[in-house]
Amino acid sequence: MIAVFGHLNPDTDAVTAALVYAHLLRRQGREATAYRLGELNFETAFVLREAGINAPELLESLPAGHEVALVDHNESAQSLPGLKTLTVTHVVDHHRLGDLETSQPATLRFDPVGCTATVLLRLHLEANLHVEATDARLLLSAILSDTLHFRSPTTTPADREAVAFLAPIAGVADVTAYALSLFAAKSDLGDTPASTLLKMDYKVFPFGHQDRGAQKWGLGVIETTNPGYVFGRQAELFSAMNAEKAAGGLDGLLLSVVDILAGTNHMLVAGPSEAAVIQAAFGAAVQNGVADLGDRISRKKQIVPTLEAYFAG
């Protein structure tokens, strides 16, 4: 049986991609089960509830050699602990190629689009398989979420075409209204602990060269239509950031607060060492622990590449 899962601290794309890809593999004659590597965020819980399906089971470990399929990631730091001891048979992703290693030839599909769901739609069409209504709703939700309803610079024409194709199958007549309902669910943070807010969309990245002292940074994102709520809890978030930095043995930690509707990023900066990097890499001054990064709202396309270039210099 192939265990199919997305990255740690899963977002909507990671969870729905696991569900849809496991289903696709089963339709193609492979035994596959979807899992998640963390708790659902509010938006993903809303998506699954609206689709009428249960969340995949939480996965914490697998025995060495177990077959796995990775979706929406390929880097070991973002995956199940012990990934290098497992047998990676499939990868479907839309991110950069990281430190992926396989013990045998694997089926790999990487496309430079805004969402793994767009790649999964292509796999259905290439296999001449119709997309079932529930899968269409999951894929549609993921694309709207990952591209912020086409506001993100990661959006491609293929993502727009996928939404137009999937919406009628999913039974979503008003895509804009549905996207706003996703964003409302994403922004309904309530009394969520600051440590949970930090980790709802959080990944760890290696920067620099091993022979010159590589660094490990945590990069979190909170996408919301109500950034004022987040900044009202700034002190709590800084405390959570510093605790996570120490616990994870990180060299730096940053938290982007993305205003979905305005398309802006005001980044919380954990300390003076991070502030120096942000100033040098982005040319952005840090005032009271916050850096105004303007319209640089994409971690994948605008934040990570800039930091990679800075640490490679």
Side-chain angles (χ1 to χ4, degrees), residues 38-312:
E39 299 305 319
L40 301 181
N41 65 33
F42 297 115
E43 179 191 70
T44 308
F46 170 82
V47 167
L48 298 187
R49 187 167 59 249
E50 290 292 302
I53 61 175
N54 296 324
E57 182 182 343
L58 178 66
L59 181 65
E60 296 182 340
S61 65
L62 286 170
H66 195 101
E67 292 187 339
V68 299
L70 311 183
V71 293
D72 197 33
H73 77 296
N74 69 89
E75 300 191 49
S76 59
Q78 300 170 13
S79 196
L80 188 70
L83 178 65
K84 293 184 185 296
T85 70
L86 304 176
T87 301
V88 178
T89 61
H90 300 74
V91 182
V92 181
D93 197 8
H94 68 124
H95 295 92
R96 67 175 189 175
L97 179 62
D99 63 344
L100 177 66
E101 296 179 1
T102 63
S103 59
Q104 61 185 35
T107 299
L108 308 179
R109 182 62 178 265
F110 290 73
D111 285 353
V113 292
C115 185
T116 307
T118 302
V119 187
L120 288 171
L121 173 58
R122 288 176 170 176
L123 293 180
H124 279 79
L125 298 178
E126 290 166 7
N128 292 315
L129 290 172
H130 70 280
V131 182
E132 297 182 1
T134 299
D135 286 346
R137 192 176 188 91
L138 296 177
L139 295 174
L140 173 69
S141 301
I143 298 170
L144 294 174
S145 174
D146 252 24
T147 68
L148 299 179
H149 193 194
F150 312 141
R151 293 172 173 84
S152 172
T154 60
T155 306
T156 69
D159 301 303
R160 295 177 182 274
E161 292 165 6
V163 165
F165 180 89
L166 292 165
I169 302 173
V172 176
D174 189 334
V175 170
T176 298
Y178 182 60
L180 289 174
S181 70
L182 296 182
F183 301 153
K186 188 195 295 274
S187 303
D188 185 16
L189 302 176
D191 57 357
T192 305
S195 57
T196 302
L197 292 178
L198 171 64
K199 300 295 283 291
M200 286 197 304
D201 186 355
Y202 177 85
K203 295 180 180 180
V204 174
F205 295 87
F207 293 126
H209 300 284
Q210 291 292 339
D211 56 351
R212 286 186 279 170
Q215 297 203 18
K216 187 169 67 169
W217 282 57
L219 303 181
V221 180
I222 297 176
E223 295 171 339
T224 178
T225 58
N226 184 16
Y229 167 84
V230 179
F231 286 105
R233 302 184 62 185
Q234 188 169 325
E236 295 175 66
L237 287 167
F238 279 135
S239 179
M241 291 167 71
N242 286 319
E244 180 61 28
K245 181 178 176 181
L250 302 173
D251 296 285
L253 197 151
L254 304 167
L255 178 61
S256 292
V257 182
V258 173
D259 185 327
I260 296 173
L261 301 180
T264 57
N265 178 4
H266 287 83
M267 178 180 283
L268 296 181
V269 182
S273 59
E274 287 92 341
V277 170
I278 293 301
Q279 173 70 55
F282 294 93
V286 178
Q287 297 182 341
N288 299 318
V290 180
D292 183 354
L293 295 190
D295 62 358
R296 288 173 284 200
I297 63 175
S298 170
R299 178 174 54 195
K300 180 180 77 170
K301 191 168 184 176
Q302 296 169 306
I303 305 303
V304 171
T306 301
L307 290 173
E308 284 180 325
Y310 170 77
F311 284 108

